[in-house]
Amino acid sequence: MDRYLRAGRLATFAYFTLNGFLMGMWIVHIPGIEHRAGISHALLGWLLLLLGAGAFAGMQATGPLTDRFGSRTVVPLSAALCSAALVLPGLAANAWTLGAALLVLGVGNGCLDVSMNAHAVQVEQGYRRPVMSAFHAAFSLGGVLASLVGARTLSWNWSPATTLGAVALVGLAGTALAAPALLRPAAASRPVDAAAPAVNARRKTPRHIWALATLALMIMLSEGVANDWSALHLRNVLDAPAATAALAYGAFATTMTLGRLLADRVAARFGPVAILRHGASVAALGLTAAALSPWIPLALIGWAVFGAGLSGCIPQLFSAAGHADQGAAGTNVSRVAGLGYLGMLAGPAVIGPLTHVLPLNLTLFLPVLCCVTAAATAGIVRPSHHAPALREAETV
């Protein structure tokens, strides 16, 4: 069983890394794809909404499918879809084909996101200790790998279609290799009664899960702001050189990844509530320092502290949702991941209009408020909350 669990954990690492790598390769090639399709930056912004819509739809569809057929079945199929769909944007010749390609890629990404997180919950149940944050760190490392590979292939003047096609083949091969090691449902969870599918079909999503999903929206909104506005903050507010301004996101992403590598050990010792409460509090302090700082070095430190604070928050929310009800882990994770993803998309979009009425640095207090709210309500991830949520969910 120990060897089986270790193999399942390694396979889960492989799929998280693959997901980060696939999406990172798409991001690296956005300029070339935009040029090939002959579209403007503004139109690209609208088309990216189709990527988000596809991901959200895929997440909501995959949750119940994972509960019904098991993550061992759904994860490889989702990874294969995401891998195969990656080549489509590279082949797009106009706005219409690019929009369709992004919609399909979004569906594949959403399916893989939910199913692999549901399997991560299953692995965590087998280990009986926190292991979720390390999987999310693997996703980040996949993005770093994509930036390195993408930089190399671009230096060789490979076209986006060639590079993404090659990566799609690598993804399909990796999917096939890792699939046999995925856990069977009975390996890490208690047996489910034969009538469970019918019961789950009549069960409403508990209020506890929607509360977790709302917190995920707030935390991922904050992450989205860092992704799109950290460099602009240093450039526009503090008049930093472009190269220096780019370090803001680098500082955030680096501490985010390192924090996720360490968060499981901290969670095992102090519990998920401490991770969410103190992590969100540290994030709020870091972003406040960055927003109010008149000095570039202090702002960079603030963005780094912001990333470190946020690093362990989302894994605790996903883990809490998955463990709340083993028979509906996929559905519950899909609710949390879905709202969280909407927050990731909404954060940058909300900050933009706010800059018309407030200075950019003051708009950053919106994610600060989100972090303070998460810290104040961190008790929602305490395991003792799960049982009442299950009783509350049942219908007659």
Side-chain angles (χ1 to χ4, degrees):
M1 177 61 72
D2 288 343
R3 179 182 296 179
Y4 185 57
L5 275 174
R6 283 195 297 270
R9 188 182 185 189
L10 288 175
T12 310
F13 275 123
Y15 283 111
F16 271 82
T17 304
L18 175 63
N19 192 200
F21 182 62
L22 293 175
M23 299 313 296
M25 291 302 293
W26 144 247
I27 292 170
V28 167
H29 287 87
I30 285 178
I33 291 170
E34 180 186 56
H35 177 73
R36 174 183 168 83
I39 59 175
S40 65
H41 295 327
L43 181 54
L44 176 64
W46 286 106
L47 292 179
L48 288 175
L49 294 177
L50 292 173
L51 180 70
F56 183 80
M59 288 175 181
Q60 300 314 302
T62 303
L65 290 175
T66 302
D67 292 333
R68 181 174 181 180
F69 298 106
S71 55
R72 181 182 171 89
T73 298
V74 179
V75 169
L77 292 176
S78 300
L81 173 60
C82 192
S83 297
L86 181 67
V87 72
L88 298 179
L91 299 174
N94 52 53
W96 292 102
T97 53
L98 180 57
L102 292 180
L103 184 64
V104 176
L105 179 60
V107 171
N109 180 48
C111 292
L112 181 55
D113 192 318
V114 166
S115 59
M116 71 184 185
N117 272 287
H119 188 267
V121 170
Q122 190 176 337
V123 172
E124 196 170 56
Q125 289 168 350
Y127 271 83
R128 300 185 185 279
R129 61 180 173 86
V131 296
M132 179 69 77
S133 293
F135 294 135
H136 286 251
F139 177 91
S140 299
L141 292 174
V144 173
L145 179 62
S147 68
L148 296 175
V149 173
R152 174 56 64 187
T153 57
L154 287 170
S155 72
W156 292 339
N157 293 319
W158 287 18
S159 69
T162 299
T163 303
L164 297 183
V167 171
L169 292 176
V170 171
L172 290 170
T175 295
L177 289 173
L182 292 174
L183 303 183
R184 295 181 178 85
S189 61
R190 66 179 183 271
V192 179
D193 185 86
V199 172
N200 290 339
R202 298 194 300 269
R203 178 178 293 162
K204 295 179 181 178
T205 300
R207 288 197 294 268
H208 173 75
I209 298 301
W210 288 120
L212 291 171
T214 302
L215 288 184
L217 184 150
M218 293 181 181
I219 295 297
M220 293 185 72
L221 180 150
S222 302
E223 290 185 23
V225 169
N227 292 344
D228 286 21
W229 291 97
S230 54
L232 287 172
H233 165 245
L234 261 71
R235 182 73 174 142
N236 296 344
V237 176
L238 300 180
D239 199 27
T244 303
L247 294 177
Y249 176 70
F252 170 83
T254 299
T255 55
M256 170 76 80
T257 303
L258 293 175
R260 284 180 169 172
L261 289 171
L262 299 173
D264 286 330
R265 293 181 180 272
V266 179
R269 180 169 183 179
F270 299 104
V273 176
I275 290 284
L276 182 56
R277 176 169 293 143
H278 298 301
S281 298
V282 168
L285 291 174
L287 188 54
T288 297
L292 298 181
S293 172
W295 304 295
I296 292 173
L298 179 58
L300 288 172
I301 292 172
W303 283 109
V305 172
F306 185 52
L310 287 183
S311 61
C313 294
I314 282 296
Q316 307 313 311
L317 296 172
F318 278 30
S319 181
H323 290 301
D325 181 356
Q326 293 182 26
T331 300
N332 290 342
V333 168
S334 74
R335 300 293 187 259
V336 175
L339 273 191
Y341 196 83
L342 289 181
M344 181 75 78
L345 296 175
V350 169
I351 294 296
L354 284 179
T355 59
H356 293 300
V357 295
L358 291 171
L360 174 56
N361 63 317
L362 295 185
T363 65
L364 298 180
F365 281 94
L366 173 62
V368 168
L369 179 61
C370 290
C371 291
V372 170
T373 301
T377 58
I380 195 70
V381 298
R382 184 175 291 113
S384 60
H385 281 70
H386 300 167
L390 297 181
R391 288 195 298 269
E392 183 181 280
E394 306 222 344
T395 58
V396 178

